[in-house]
Amino acid sequence: MFEARPVDLAQVDLVDLNEARFDGVHAAHRALLIAAAALCISALFDLAIFLDFQWSKGANAALIVSNANLLALLFLGPTAIVAARARPLPVVASNIEQAELLAAKDREVLDRIDHLLAEQRLSRDENLTLSRLARRAGVPARLISGAVNRLARKNVSQYINDFRIAEACRLLRGTDMPVTAAMLESGFQTKSNFNREFRRVTSLSPASWRERNRPSPP
């Protein structure tokens, strides 16, 4: 039995009203109305084909289908144009704005942390922890950890130790202080941790670094 079916006029690329820009809501609404009308007309063509098979065994079905397809083309063009005017704002632009806002907040947190660690010499506190740092900064610990991870690409412990190593290098270069004293003065408690972190930052042992970087005697 011959089955002919017109193109479904309602199958068009429409945007959801919830996702449309405010200035495109009316266009989206018009597009939905056109789609609703197309659905009704599609149903009428289905009914016409059904009746044609009942009365004349589908003699006119091909003509009905061709007319339905022609009408579908006439509907699809205007509907696509109207729907295009109501497309939602690009998601990429929104993601970029959120990333920029997050980066700005991270920089604000990191600036506050840097001030405490360097200018207020909090990095030299051998008992410093993330919780204590968060309390001094007035910033939740998770925000500090996130800012350090995203901007510095390090964990908080490494970030703090960078300040300590910088202080140790200053002492080793500018004073005759023993390495162990410089270690304690910069905030480290154990020699193994100090040596490991010193090599991570400078690729040298403290003694070798001092030998290479001490100013030449006059």
Side-chain angles (χ1 to χ4, degrees):
M1 182 177 184
F2 174 72
E3 289 189 9
R5 184 176 182 80
V7 175
D8 190 347
L9 301 178
Q11 292 180 348
V12 294
D13 184 17
L14 297 180
V15 296
D16 193 334
L17 283 174
N18 292 330
E19 298 296 331
R21 300 191 301 266
F22 285 116
D23 59 356
V25 168
H26 294 297
H29 182 66
R30 286 195 296 270
L32 291 177
L33 290 179
I34 294 174
L39 184 62
C40 293
I41 295 175
S42 177
L44 291 177
F45 275 107
D46 285 343
L47 178 61
I49 292 174
F50 173 77
L51 294 177
D52 181 63
F53 274 100
Q54 293 293 321
W55 295 338
S56 59
K57 298 183 180 180
N60 301 310
L63 179 62
I64 296 174
V65 170
S66 62
N67 289 333
N69 289 337
L70 177 62
L71 188 60
L73 293 176
L74 296 177
F75 266 92
L76 286 175
T79 305
I81 294 174
V82 173
R85 297 175 182 173
R87 287 183 178 177
L89 292 173
V91 176
V92 174
S94 176
N95 290 342
I96 292 175
E97 291 177 359
Q98 292 179 3
E100 291 176 348
L101 180 61
L102 179 60
K105 291 181 178 179
D106 285 346
R107 174 47 56 191
E108 181 180 349
V109 170
L110 218 57
D111 288 344
R112 187 177 302 187
I113 298 305
D114 290 352
H115 175 77
L116 290 172
L117 294 176
E119 297 184 25
Q120 296 192 17
R121 302 183 176 183
L122 192 61
S123 64
R124 302 185 193 181
D125 181 1
E126 65 274 9
N127 296 316
L128 182 63
T129 63
L130 177 57
S131 297
R132 293 185 64 181
L133 181 61
R135 287 195 297 270
R136 287 289 300 273
V139 177
R142 61 181 178 80
L143 294 185
I144 295 176
S145 180
V148 171
N149 291 339
R150 285 186 289 268
L151 293 187
R153 304 297 181 183
K154 302 174 183 178
N155 59 45
V156 176
S157 178
Q158 290 175 331
Y159 193 74
I160 294 173
N161 284 339
D162 285 351
F163 285 86
R164 290 172 172 169
I165 296 301
E167 175 61 15
C169 288
R170 185 188 71 81
L171 295 173
L172 292 174
R173 181 192 297 113
T175 72
D176 294 325
M177 182 180 294
V179 172
T180 301
M183 174 194 79
L184 296 172
E185 184 68 20
S186 59
F188 287 96
Q189 292 181 300
T190 63
K191 193 170 183 179
S192 59
N193 187 36
F194 173 63
N195 288 336
R196 181 175 59 253
E197 289 298 289
F198 201 98
R199 286 184 178 277
R200 177 182 64 83
V201 176
T202 69
S203 300
L204 295 171
S205 68
S208 297
W209 188 93
R210 167 178 260 177
E211 184 178 349
R212 292 190 184 187
N213 291 276
R214 286 293 294 268
S216 302

